[in-house]
């Protein structure tokens, strides 16, 4: 699998000139070290190269983020709400602001979109169960991390939740 995403086209450079070679790692390039052999020929000579140079390329892991929810699961009664802390840590050199998007399944979340302007960073969201919510063990909140202004997801975490049955009131009058 080649380490670059586009073919490298030959170019003509005369003595004393320089030419820049732009190398871009393919999205599926393997992490590690690779090499590209560059060859220089005398004009009109397609035989033996006049000069060879090996370019060593180090392909690093893609920068991204890690997101952690505290707590990572919770139980709510109908009408109840709880705070959840979100911790975002940049990985492999990522330190730019990120946008957090949260979407509920059987639970409500507020705010649904917000920024974390410096990493590592934290934020809080309020998770609630509707007052008329039916009991379920399959509720969740998906929290995704995106570069600001982008739909590309660089991290995600899921808060597992349940909505428990409301307490039963008893009339003990005699």
């Amino acid at each position: 699998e080649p380490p670059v995403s586009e073919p490298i086209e030959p170019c003509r450079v005369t003595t004393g000139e320089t030419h820049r070679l732009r190398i871009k790692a393919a999205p599926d390039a393997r992490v590690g070290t690779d090499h590209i052999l560059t060859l220089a020929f005398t004009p009109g000579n397609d035989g033996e190269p006049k000069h060879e140079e090996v370019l060593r390329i180090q392909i690093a892991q893609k920068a991204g983020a890690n997101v952690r929810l505290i707590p990572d699961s919770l139980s709510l009664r109908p009408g109840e709400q709880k705070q959840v802390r979100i911790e975002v840590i940049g990985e492999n050199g990522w330190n730019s602001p990120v946008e957090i998007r949260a979407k509920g399944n059987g639970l409500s979340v507020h705010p649904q979109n917000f920024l974390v302007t410096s990493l590592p960073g934290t934020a809080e969201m309020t998770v609630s169960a509707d007052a008329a919510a039916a009991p379920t063990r399959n509720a969740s909140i998906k929290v995704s991390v995106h570069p600001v202004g982008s739909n590309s997801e660089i991290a995600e975490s899921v808060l597992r939740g349940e909505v428990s049955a409301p307490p039963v009131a008893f009339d003990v009058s005699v």
Side-chain angles (χ1 to χ4, degrees):
E1 190 67 32
V4 293
S5 60
E6 299 171 12
I8 300 171
E9 297 296 326
C11 66
R12 182 175 296 269
V13 180
T14 59
T15 304
E17 288 185 341
T18 59
H19 183 77
R20 291 182 187 226
L21 175 65
R22 182 176 180 204
I23 300 171
K24 180 179 176 184
D28 59 347
R30 66 185 181 281
V31 173
T33 302
D34 217 321
H35 299 86
I36 295 178
L37 176 63
T38 61
L39 305 172
F41 295 91
T42 303
N45 177 6
D46 292 335
E48 289 294 313
K50 182 177 180 182
H51 184 75
E52 295 182 9
E53 193 69 41
V54 175
L55 302 177
R56 182 177 170 267
I57 301 169
Q58 180 67 40
I59 300 173
Q61 288 184 329
K62 188 175 179 180
N66 186 15
V67 61
R68 191 171 94 169
L69 307 176
I70 303 168
D72 63 356
S73 65
L74 51 78
S75 178
L76 298 168
R77 290 190 171 140
E80 187 178 20
Q81 64 182 28
K82 292 184 179 177
Q83 294 296 114
V84 174
R85 185 172 141 168
I86 303 167
E87 293 182 348
V88 183
I89 299 169
E91 292 183 335
N92 301 316
W94 186 280
N95 59 6
S96 299
V98 293
E99 183 178 344
I100 307 294
R101 299 177 191 161
K103 183 174 181 172
N105 173 28
L107 296 169
S108 297
V109 60
H110 182 78
Q112 291 182 330
N113 298 307
F114 46 94
L115 294 177
V116 175
T117 57
S118 64
L119 299 182
T122 61
E124 297 246 334
M125 65 181 177
T126 302
V127 176
S128 59
D130 186 73
T136 180
R137 291 188 170 186
N138 297 317
S140 63
I141 301 285
K142 178 185 175 189
V143 175
S144 57
V145 180
H146 305 261
V148 174
S150 171
N151 284 326
S152 297
E153 183 177 291
I154 58 173
E156 80 168 43
S157 188
V158 176
L159 173 83
R160 296 177 318 277
E162 78 173 88
V163 178
S164 59
V168 178
F170 292 100
D171 184 2
V172 290
S173 57
V174 183

